[in-house]
Structure formats: structure tokens, C-alpha cells
Amino acid sequence: MRKITVFDTTLRDGEQAPGCTMNTREKLEFAKQLERLGVDVIEAGFPVASPDDFEAVSTIAREVRECTVAALCRCVQNDIDTAARALKEAAHPRLHVFIATSDLHLEVKLNITRQQALEKIRECVTYARSLCEDVEFSGEDATRSDREFLLECCNLAVDCGATTINIPDTVGYDTPEEMYDLIRYIRDNLHQKEKVRLSVHCHNDLGMAVANSLAALRAGADQVEGTINGIGERAGNAALEEVIMAIHTRGDTLGMETGINTRQIYRTSKLISTIIGAKIPANKPVVGRNAFSHEAGIHQHGVLKNPLTYEIMSPATIGIYESDLVLGKHSGRHAFEERVEELGYQLSGEALERAFKRFLDLADRKKSVTNKDIEAIVAGLGYALPETYRLHSFVVNSGTVISATAVVKLLKNGEEMEHVARGDGPVDAAYKAIERITKTGCQLVSYNIHAVTEGEDALGEVVVKLRKDGNNVTGRGISTDIFEASIKAYLNAVNKVVG
Ligand code: KIV
Ligand code: ZN
């Protein structure tokens, strides 16, 4: 079995996608989850892009000790200096240097000749290597580049000290056969081919990113790059959970393995979906709601007799645990703590205290609390702080013959603040009342609601996106009451804005 290096770029390439912006705290929380998942490399950002990016990369570099932490830089000395500074405290830093190699990009975007591109590679890879032992070189738009020239760039990068060579299908253009051929060609002709790691980075414009990644691995690549849930520019990147589970499930024919703890996949997928406020499509392979549900009678009958009839992976392999053992308000603290641990979370101190309080609150309203409820409670913990504004109480009125109104009372540093507003429906009225109190000037960009669990007392989750000064902020709220969940989601976003 060949061991494949898994390189996650959710926090860099994924975050570049519209609506996927994250703040440092969210990025750190996700990076910690990636560490639990067991990825080998976390690309934490593009430090020269903004002070926020720099801060996020340096925070992750400081806090994440197991994985290699990579930072992206163009073939520009200031980019490399900035990335190296951001990675200063990393246990295993990697500088990721890239330049376009296709004639189209060189002529139209960079306005330089092939010769000038080679000079930049020589200068910048040599410089990056003088600052860091681990240097990755990427030829952007590699799959639309002239093959011989791409190889020349890769070999020059290796001669100047690059330890990983990455071949991006930047615009998702290749077919799996073409990708296989290209990687074979580079692998066969690469300088120091025994020592240098060869990597692939696929985009999904034609829906072939995962197939192309697997084709590249079969052809001899030993590192695969992608994002969780496939988020990323345009149609996104290769969905890492799909690549990982393909290797896990079909290791027999692929002859490969990863060091991933697959039981953390579902949680990782849910976490990024919650942070960016993008729902996972129900039919998404591996992590979609329907990936393990069976509707047709014949299928249900088969699965009941033996799950292998219609399931090629078991839900437990990716960390979905269905338990009949529900908890209630009399279950007590010990049972709650045990269940949280069984579900794979490590909570202690104040976080455990908050989770338990939320559990009691929920158990008061709901007959039985399931694993999904507990996961929703724990997933929401990271989003509760700092709570500048807290919900004290609310009343909403709505109907077909009256206009909707809401009275919302909030607490700010112990002080009660109340406002009433009229709106196009009770949620709109409540949001207007909150705006009157908080005066943030935020605009509501999107509002989504779904049930976390089944049944009439299901826990509802609301995810909102607010826009403030050109930036989107996501807020999330859960409750058995959809108005309360809606108000909490809005307040969660407001607290991020004011905090
Ligand atoms: O898609 C791409 O070409 C990239 C590079 C910067 C690696 O993301
Ligand atoms: Zn990319």
C-alpha cells in the first residue's frame, strides 16, 4: 500500500470562494478539527493577502503542532518573506510558492515571457528554500501548459530546492485519462524523482476533480490536495472526504492508503458547513443526508437483512453513530459526559459546563435528546462567544389579518434593552427590533432553516448571513422554537460583528 499525503486547502483555496470567508477564530477551530481528522498538511492561508490572513496563518502555525502548516506565496520576495514570518512559530512549516506556467496566463495575466518565468522560479524557490526546509512549488494552470515547458519549470524548482512539486488543474479542464498521462510524464522525467513528492490539485468545473485526483494518484502522485465538502473557487476543489473514502473503500484496487481517521469525516464536514453557513446537499457523496438513507422498499428490505446489500461504506466509518439510547432530563451529568465522549468530543471545563446547561435546557423542552441533538449542541459551542448581546425574551405576533410585530428584549452587560418593530413576517419584525437595539447597520443576505432531528419536537437550526461593510458574517442558532432559533442566529452574527 502506498501512503498518500493528504493536503487540505479548505482554509486557503476553499475560503477564496464567494461567501466562504472565515475569521481567525473559526479558522483555528477548523484547523484543530483537521488535526483530529489526521490530514498531513493544512494550507492555512495566503498571508500577504491581508492582515487578517496573516493573523490566521500565524495563529494556526502556533496552535497546530501535529500537521505541517503551509502558507501560499506568489513568486514575489515580499510574499515569501511575509509567509515565512507568519509560519515563524510552526512546528512543521511549509512555504508554497506558485507561478503560472501556461502561455495564456503568462501572456495575459503576468505579461512575462517563459524565460522570465523561469528566472522568477529560480530566484524565488531558491530564496524560499533558504528560509524553510519544506518548499512546495506549483505551476498554476499546469494542465493547459506546454508539457515540456511545465517539466522544465518543475525540474528547475527541484534543482533550486523544492521538496514537493504540485500540478494544479486550475480550471478543472482535464479528463482523468489526460491527467493520468500528464502525471506519468512528470513523474518519469522529474529530477530526483525518488526524493521529491509529486502532488495533484484539481478543480471541479466539469465535475471530474475527484476522478482526476485518483487518476493522478494512480499515475504516481503521492500527495492529493483538496477541500472538505469540495468548497472553493467556482465549482470548487476536489472534495477531500470523497477522495479519502474512495481510497479507503477501494484500497484493494488502488493499492493506496491514507493516515486519515475516517471517523472524524462527518464532524469535519458538518463543522465547515456550519462555519460558512452552506448546507451540504442531501445527495452529496459520503456526507450528504441521503448518503446512507434508503427509501425504496426493496433497498430497505435488503439493508435490514444485511447493510452490505446497498451500502459500500458503513455510516460509522465516517463517524455517524445512530444510537437508540436517548437521553432525557433525568439522565444526569455523568450520562451526558459519557455520551459526549462516546461521540468523540473532548470537552472539559467551561465548554463542558456550557454544553451541559444547553442540554438541560433542551431536555426541558424535548422528550428525548438524541445524538444528533448533542452534536448540534457541541457544534454550536464555538459560536457562542463573545456574547455582547444576549436574548432575554421575545414576543412575536403574526397572522393573515394583522401585520407581524415583534418585541425583543436583549441583555448587554446586564442592562436590559427592548424594542418593538413591524415587519414582513415575524422573523423580519424580530430582526428589525434587534437592529433598532444594536444599530449595527447589517443587512440580511440569506436565511436558512432546517430540522436537526425528526419528530414534532425536532431541534431547528437557523443559519443566517449578514453583510456589513462588504463582508459576510454567518450566524447560527438552534432551538425547538424556530423563532427563538432565528433570533439566536441573528444575534450570533451580530455578536461577531460587534466583537
Ligand atoms: O488552482 C490553483 O492553481 C491553485 C494554486 C495556487 C495551487 O490553487
Ligand atoms: Zn486551486
Side-chain angles (χ1 to χ4, degrees), residues 12-13 168 170 201 203 237:
R12 198 279 298 170
D13 221 349
T170 305
H201 173 114
H203 281 263
N237 289 56

Side-chain angles (χ1 to χ4, degrees), residues 369-385:
V369 179
T370 65
N371 285 352
K372 282 193 181 145
D373 292 321
I374 294 176
E375 293 201 313
I377 289 174
V378 179
L381 287 178
Y383 302 89
L385 287 172

Side-chain angles (χ1 to χ4, degrees), residues 245 248-250 291-292 294 307-314 317:
M245 285 313 289
H248 185 88
T249 313
R250 300 310 316 274
F292 296 100
H294 308 275
L308 285 178
T309 48
Y310 288 98
E311 276 178 7
I312 57 167
M313 312 167 253
S314 89
T317 315

Side-chain angles (χ1 to χ4, degrees), residues 12 14 31 37 71 84 170 179 206 210 246 266 311 349 360 367 378 398 412 416 441 448 454 475 487:
R12 198 279 298 170
L37 178 65
T170 305
M179 181 56 91
L206 293 173
V210 171
Y266 184 63
E311 276 178 7
L360 287 181
K367 281 191 275 316
V378 179
S398 179
K412 186 182 181 193
E416 289 181 10
N448 278 293
E454 291 89 33
I487 291 173

Side-chain angles (χ1 to χ4, degrees), residues 368-408:
S368 47
V369 179
T370 65
N371 285 352
K372 282 193 181 145
D373 292 321
I374 294 176
E375 293 201 313
I377 289 174
V378 179
L381 287 178
Y383 302 89
L385 287 172
E387 272 194 314
T388 310
Y389 292 100
R390 286 212 350 251
L391 176 64
H392 176 283
S393 54
F394 72 93
V395 177
V396 289
N397 271 306
S398 179
T400 48
V401 288
I402 55 164
S403 51
T405 55
V407 185
V408 179

